[in-house]
């Protein structure tokens, strides 16, 4: 059991709602102890309670709705404002860049790309490495040697194909 809430159409609305509720509760509790913590200690607490929840199984979030991504981004923004003690009226992009935090949509893409990189370099479990098939053209094409992968065909035509 991964403690991920699946729904019938894999929209992950219930999962995102659960993560948002849990993270905002944790942020409220962290804000009460913030005056007693140094910047580095507060950063570690936020990474332990907020960032770890945002990153847990976030590769499953690939392709979810923009609204759900925005809800996850709100958590990260609130954590950044709490950590830097900045106002909510300040732009969040420079704050996230200063903290070296990727926005939520890029964190999801990064996780998937990291899994693919590890699988290509045999640093991932075998069952993940077996899912990737390198593209090797039969004749000499411009795509030869570009480390491309074959996209498997699906049985059914659905959204996203």
């Amino acid at each position: 059991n991964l403690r991920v809430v699946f729904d019938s159409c894999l929209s992950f609305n219930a999962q995102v709602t659960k993560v948002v509720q849990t993270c905002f509760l944790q942020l409220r509790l962290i804000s009460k102890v913030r005056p007693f913590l140094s910047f580095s200690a507060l950063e570690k607490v936020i990474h332990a309670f907020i960032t770890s929840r945002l990153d847990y199984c976030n590769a499953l979030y690939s392709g979810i709705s923009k609204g759900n991504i925005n809800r996850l981004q709100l958590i990260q923004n609130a954590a950044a404002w709490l950590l830097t003690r900045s106002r909510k009226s300040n732009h969040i992009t420079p704050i996230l860049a200063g903290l070296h935090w990727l926005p939520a949509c890029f964190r999801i893409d990064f996780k998937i790309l990291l899994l693919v990189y590890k699988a290509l370099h045999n640093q991932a479990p075998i069952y993940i490495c077996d899912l990737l098939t390198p593209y090797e053209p039969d004749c000499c094409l411009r795509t030869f040697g570009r480390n491309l992968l074959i996209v498997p065909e699906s049985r059914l035509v659905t959204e996203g194909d």
Side-chain angles (χ1 to χ4, degrees):
N1 185 3
L2 295 175
R3 296 188 186 227
V4 176
V5 180
F6 290 95
D7 53 2
S8 61
C9 57
L10 293 178
S11 66
F12 290 102
N13 289 333
Q15 170 65 21
V16 171
T17 299
K18 187 179 94 168
V19 169
V20 168
Q21 287 174 346
T22 306
C23 286
F24 274 125
L25 173 68
Q26 292 296 325
L27 281 173
R28 226 174 289 122
L29 295 174
I30 291 170
S31 70
K32 294 179 192 250
V33 297
R34 180 181 77 175
F36 307 107
L37 297 174
S38 66
F39 180 83
S40 63
L42 182 62
E43 187 175 24
K44 289 175 186 172
V45 168
I46 286 176
H47 279 301
F49 289 103
I50 307 302
T51 309
S52 63
R53 283 203 172 98
L54 286 176
D55 287 342
Y56 180 71
C57 289
N58 70 346
L60 294 174
Y61 298 155
S62 179
I64 65 171
S65 69
K66 185 84 167 152
N68 281 337
I69 297 269
N70 289 339
R71 292 172 64 201
L72 294 171
Q73 186 62 50
L74 284 175
I75 297 167
Q76 191 178 29
N77 294 353
W81 284 319
L82 179 69
L83 179 61
T84 59
R85 295 179 167 99
S86 57
R87 296 184 179 150
K88 290 185 180 180
S89 59
N90 293 351
H91 290 285
I92 195 65
T93 306
I95 294 171
L96 292 176
L99 294 171
H100 302 286
W101 290 1
L102 286 173
C105 59
F106 296 125
R107 292 176 86 87
I108 295 166
D109 293 340
F110 179 77
K111 180 78 157 271
I112 293 169
L113 292 172
L114 183 64
L115 285 171
V116 170
Y117 176 84
K118 286 184 174 183
L120 288 174
H121 291 88
N122 295 321
Q123 297 173 348
I126 298 296
Y127 64 90
I128 293 178
C129 294
D130 291 343
L131 294 173
L132 301 179
T133 308
Y135 173 69
E136 297 169 356
D138 295 332
C139 56
C140 188
L141 300 173
R142 284 183 285 174
T143 58
F144 182 76
R146 293 189 59 199
N147 297 329
L148 299 176
L149 298 172
I150 294 176
V151 178
E153 294 183 19
S154 59
R155 286 183 338 169
L156 305 172
V157 176
T158 60
E159 187 176 327
D161 279 347

